[in-house]
Amino acid sequence: MGTFMVFTRSLGHHCIKKSKSHNFSRLFGLGKLIVSSEISSPNFNGSFHQLQSRRTLILEPASSESVKLQRLSDSDLGIVEVNLDRPGAKNAIGKEMLRGLRATFETINRDDSANVVMICSSVPKVFCAGADLKERKTMIPSEVQFFVNTLRSTFSLIEALRVPTIAVIEGAALGGGLEMALSCDLRICGEGAVLGLPETGLAIIPGAGGTQRLPRLVGKSVAKELIFTGRKIGGREAMSIGLVNYSVPAGEARLKALDVAREINQKGPIALRMAKKAINQGLEIDLESALELEEECYEQVLNTNDRLEGLAAFAEKRKPIYTGK
């Protein structure tokens, strides 16, 4: 029961009430949760750290054929890649895929070896086409509402991950697909990417964070124009308005993202987490309170071994070897 409560609390501010438990089971088919012991050895700097036992939650049958988790090896230890792989539906998010997304990011959030996350697509010329509207037609209104609420809380889970996240966009990122990318810290796209929130054309609104994250990123007026018209934009325009960090030649988005991920992966893990916390939470409060938050986050890195290692490496003119301690 304690394990189940850990999982349900992670759903964010949309708590699952008793009256909705039947819908949750019907929509997502979650089975039992099992606690197991897992051995983990890689640390953040690419070397092998002392083997340690960790308790890990395993979701059954939450494994998903459409969401695949890969931990890169060798010099890229610490970089985790999530691949969307539902080619028959252009990575449209249905019940099974949503279950896989949630389970995957719950797993990453518990993984101390993860230092940066890349969300990619295994399907050519598409990142994610949004929600699976064919499946949605079979849902009653209460199921639709619950599905969208769970989608929203899943993207909030991505946004709240302790480590930096990068959305790697080639092709279409529409509706919920773009909303998923908006929940990431960075976005890198190919010039052939097509990005948009077309929901008003279906007489609905972006319901998984789009109306809130887009204006925070590109400004209120630009966000209103894109949402009101449902207009789709390409990679270059997305970069010009600040929607993406980089727009590179088509087919090269993953390579660019991997370069950026490798740069991040070399930095102090605790520092990265505290920097993300300070930025994300600080933007939601007044400046005086935000500066106090920054002070609190700085205190978290002040007495770490990594900070001393960084000073030593600088003095010795070598690359630091961070351990996340």
Side-chain angles (χ1 to χ4, degrees):
M1 178 62 72
T3 301
F4 180 73
M5 289 303 295
V6 168
F7 177 73
T8 55
R9 281 198 298 270
S10 69
L11 291 178
H13 64 277
H14 297 289
C15 58
I16 301 177
K17 298 180 181 178
K18 186 175 181 181
S19 62
K20 293 184 178 181
S21 61
H22 175 70
N23 279 346
F24 189 75
S25 176
R26 177 179 174 185
L27 280 171
F28 302 109
L30 286 174
K32 61 182 178 179
L33 291 166
I34 300 174
V35 178
S36 70
S37 181
E38 176 181 274
I39 299 297
S40 176
S41 56
N43 69 3
F44 293 102
N45 58 48
S47 62
F48 281 91
H49 188 52
Q50 181 179 359
L51 293 176
Q52 58 182 7
S53 177
R54 290 183 308 176
R55 290 169 66 84
T56 302
L57 293 175
I58 298 177
L59 290 157
E60 290 190 351
S63 58
S64 169
E65 291 298 321
S66 54
V67 183
K68 298 177 180 177
L69 180 63
Q70 177 184 4
R71 291 171 174 82
L72 304 191
S73 58
D74 301 327
S75 61
D76 292 327
L77 286 171
I79 301 176
V80 177
E81 188 170 350
V82 176
N83 270 289
L84 312 178
D85 189 17
R86 195 184 177 205
K90 298 182 179 180
N91 286 341
I93 304 172
K95 293 180 289 188
E96 188 271 342
M97 189 171 187
L98 180 53
R99 182 178 69 238
L101 285 169
R102 174 164 290 282
T104 296
F105 289 107
E106 288 277 2
T107 298
I108 292 171
N109 209 32
R110 294 187 298 269
D111 187 351
D112 292 336
S113 71
N115 204 25
V116 57
V117 178
M118 295 166 50
I119 304 179
C120 309
S121 169
S122 299
V123 181
K125 299 182 179 180
V126 64
F127 175 71
C128 174
D132 188 336
L133 298 183
K134 291 182 180 179
E135 186 178 86
R136 181 167 297 182
K137 287 177 64 177
T138 67
M139 299 180 187
I140 61 176
S142 62
E143 289 177 330
V144 173
Q145 182 178 13
F146 188 80
F147 180 91
V148 174
N149 287 349
T150 306
L151 187 64
R152 185 187 306 113
S153 69
T154 299
F155 293 165
S156 293
L157 172 63
I158 296 173
E159 184 176 47
L161 287 176
R162 297 178 299 166
V163 299
T165 53
I166 305 173
V168 184
I169 305 169
E170 293 280 7
L174 302 173
L178 180 55
E179 288 177 303
M180 175 161 44
L182 290 171
S183 70
C184 294
D185 298 305
L186 308 176
R187 284 152 297 281
I188 297 173
C189 74
E191 291 179 351
V194 179
L195 305 94
L197 295 174
E199 284 87 349
T200 54
L202 297 170
I204 56 175
I205 67 171
T211 64
Q212 303 306 307
R213 293 192 178 98
L214 185 63
R216 283 169 166 79
L217 195 62
V218 303
K220 182 169 66 174
S221 181
V222 173
K224 284 180 176 179
E225 186 260 325
L226 291 176
I227 292 174
F228 292 170
T229 65
R231 183 168 68 88
K232 302 176 181 67
I233 62 176
R236 291 185 180 180
E237 184 176 356
M239 184 175 175
S240 72
I241 64 174
L243 179 53
V244 301
N245 298 82
Y246 295 96
S247 177
V248 297
E252 297 183 14
R254 185 182 179 277
L255 293 176
K256 179 63 179 177
L258 191 55
D259 285 343
V260 174
R262 284 168 173 160
E263 286 189 52
I264 295 172
N265 197 36
Q266 295 174 8
K267 306 304 186 287
I270 300 174
L272 290 171
R273 294 175 183 182
M274 290 301 103
K276 177 170 179 174
K277 178 180 178 179
I279 294 169
N280 282 2
Q281 295 184 15
L283 284 173
E284 302 301 322
I285 55 180
D286 63 89
L287 181 58
E288 183 178 357
S289 300
L291 291 174
E292 291 176 359
L293 171 65
E294 181 182 78
E295 180 182 357
E296 293 170 4
C297 291
Y298 194 92
E299 288 175 357
Q300 296 297 312
V301 301
L302 191 58
N303 296 312
T304 62
N305 293 336
D306 280 351
R307 187 183 74 86
L308 299 178
E309 166 62 15
L311 291 173
F314 178 80
E316 297 166 14
K317 298 181 179 180
R318 61 172 174 81
K319 287 186 176 182
I321 302 175
Y322 294 126
T323 61
K325 295 184 177 180

